[in-house]
Amino acid sequence: MTTARNRAIDRIRRDRTLAAKTRLLEVPEPTEVTVDETTIRDERLELIFTCCHPALSLEAQVPLTLRTLGGLTTEEIARAFLVAEATMAKRLVRAKQKIKAAGIPFRVPPAHLLPDRLAAVLAVVYLIFNEGYGGRGDLAAEAIRLGRALTELMPDEPDVHGLLALMLVNDARSEARFVDGTLVLLRDQDRSLWDFEQIAEGRTALERALALGGRGAYVLQAAIASLHADDPQDWEQLAVLYGELARRTGSAIVELNRAAAIAEAGDTEAALALVDRLELGRYPYLHSTRAELLRRLDRVEDARAAYERALELVPTKAERRFLEGRLAEL
């Protein structure tokens, strides 16, 4: 995959050089020649747009691009989509077979076709960031770089600014998220370690998205991330925004976040009732959230069982240490 990616970048560079040299040959006498700039100046972003071909379903475009260009393993992609690794492997194979059978061309799309591929490109960048946010800082930095390149390429798309805002605000807290290899919850983080200049930059990007009429999922998530950076946090407002986001996306994970906000606003019983309705059996954070709610309700044995289930599923060592600490407290 790395070799193929590097060869593709080399080919793009050679094509640009050839175009420039050809124009020079066509000039009858020495003069200044202006070479047309490519639509997409960032080569990695150019390849992502190329891979996100609309002939494939969105469910196929995003995993295939993450596997080919995003630096994610099949296991990491499967975890992001909440499916088994074998299921994701089959999905990737089917996507590759369709590309071959249909003769889908590997070609950079012209400018007027970029909006048709934007949803997949945003999903790719967001999932790269999410994987990096879990501890792989190189991926988080790369996702933010791609987000900045997207805002230059498509400055009038509100979701582009919304995604950049979301990544900037969340990443600004990265230095405080882990202590001695253990995850630290937001409410327990040392705010002196936060990058407030980056939070301000993220909020500026959010304002730009709202000014452009943005009301989509990325803009809503950016608004939620911005509220989480406030002290104190307005949990009732956060619950409302999570509810709106859940309505737009139909996501059970968003509903789980809404339940956490409801609990922080003071209604633990209602939060637990919401969590128990969600069908996220293999999602570790459902069990860790449920364990926390049960702990608050003094249902110690049930909380212990929920923490143990979360430990069976959680993907990183830092999160395991956190959950082990919580379990020891019981």
Side-chain angles (χ1 to χ4, degrees), residues 250-314:
S251 168
I253 294 174
V254 175
E255 286 282 26
L256 181 62
N257 283 304
R258 183 165 77 92
I262 290 171
E264 293 296 334
D267 196 341
T268 306
E269 292 279 4
L272 181 60
L274 175 55
V275 169
D276 284 341
R277 292 198 299 269
L278 300 177
E279 297 180 3
L280 289 169
R282 292 196 57 80
Y283 190 58
Y285 311 118
L286 173 111
H287 300 287
S288 60
T289 301
R290 187 169 181 273
E292 172 64 17
L293 298 177
L294 290 165
R295 185 188 66 79
R296 293 185 186 186
L297 294 170
D298 293 326
R299 293 170 56 181
V300 177
E301 291 304 317
D302 291 337
R304 181 177 288 113
Y307 276 129
E308 288 171 350
R309 179 57 176 154
L311 276 166
E312 293 174 2
L313 299 170
V314 79

Side-chain angles (χ1 to χ4, degrees), residues 120-306:
V121 171
L122 290 175
V124 167
V125 174
Y126 183 41
L127 288 172
I128 292 173
F129 175 79
N130 273 346
E131 192 62 35
Y133 192 61
R136 294 182 60 182
D138 58 326
L139 288 179
E142 172 66 4
I144 290 173
R145 188 189 68 77
L146 290 169
R148 295 188 196 278
L150 272 170
T151 62
E152 294 178 6
L153 176 66
M154 308 179 80
D156 296 326
E157 290 286 348
D159 278 342
V160 170
H161 295 279
L163 176 57
L164 179 60
L166 170 62
M167 294 190 297
L168 286 171
V169 174
N170 280 338
D171 183 69
R173 304 195 301 262
S174 60
E175 292 297 319
R177 292 189 72 236
F178 302 95
V179 172
D180 297 328
T182 301
L183 180 69
V184 181
L185 292 181
L186 178 61
R187 63 172 176 265
D188 300 323
Q189 289 175 10
D190 180 357
R191 287 179 173 245
S192 68
L193 298 175
W194 290 9
D195 186 339
F196 286 98
E197 288 186 8
Q198 188 168 307
I199 290 173
E201 183 186 357
R203 285 172 167 167
T204 299
L206 173 59
E207 289 170 3
R208 174 64 176 157
L210 293 171
L212 289 168
R215 298 294 183 272
Y218 294 112
V219 178
L220 274 170
Q221 289 179 82
I224 288 168
S226 180
L227 280 175
H228 274 306
D230 288 341
D231 187 20
Q233 293 158 273
D234 187 339
W235 288 108
E236 291 184 358
Q237 178 65 17
L238 281 163
V240 170
L241 286 178
Y242 275 124
E244 175 62 17
L245 184 61
R247 187 185 68 79
R248 288 174 179 265
T249 63
S251 168
I253 294 174
V254 175
E255 286 282 26
L256 181 62
N257 283 304
R258 183 165 77 92
I262 290 171
E264 293 296 334
D267 196 341
T268 306
E269 292 279 4
L272 181 60
L274 175 55
V275 169
D276 284 341
R277 292 198 299 269
L278 300 177
E279 297 180 3
L280 289 169
R282 292 196 57 80
Y283 190 58
Y285 311 118
L286 173 111
H287 300 287
S288 60
T289 301
R290 187 169 181 273
E292 172 64 17
L293 298 177
L294 290 165
R295 185 188 66 79
R296 293 185 186 186
L297 294 170
D298 293 326
R299 293 170 56 181
V300 177
E301 291 304 317
D302 291 337
R304 181 177 288 113

Side-chain angles (χ1 to χ4, degrees), residues 51-63:
C51 284
C52 291
H53 197 286
L56 298 171
S57 68
L58 191 64
E59 290 75 15
Q61 291 176 47
V62 175

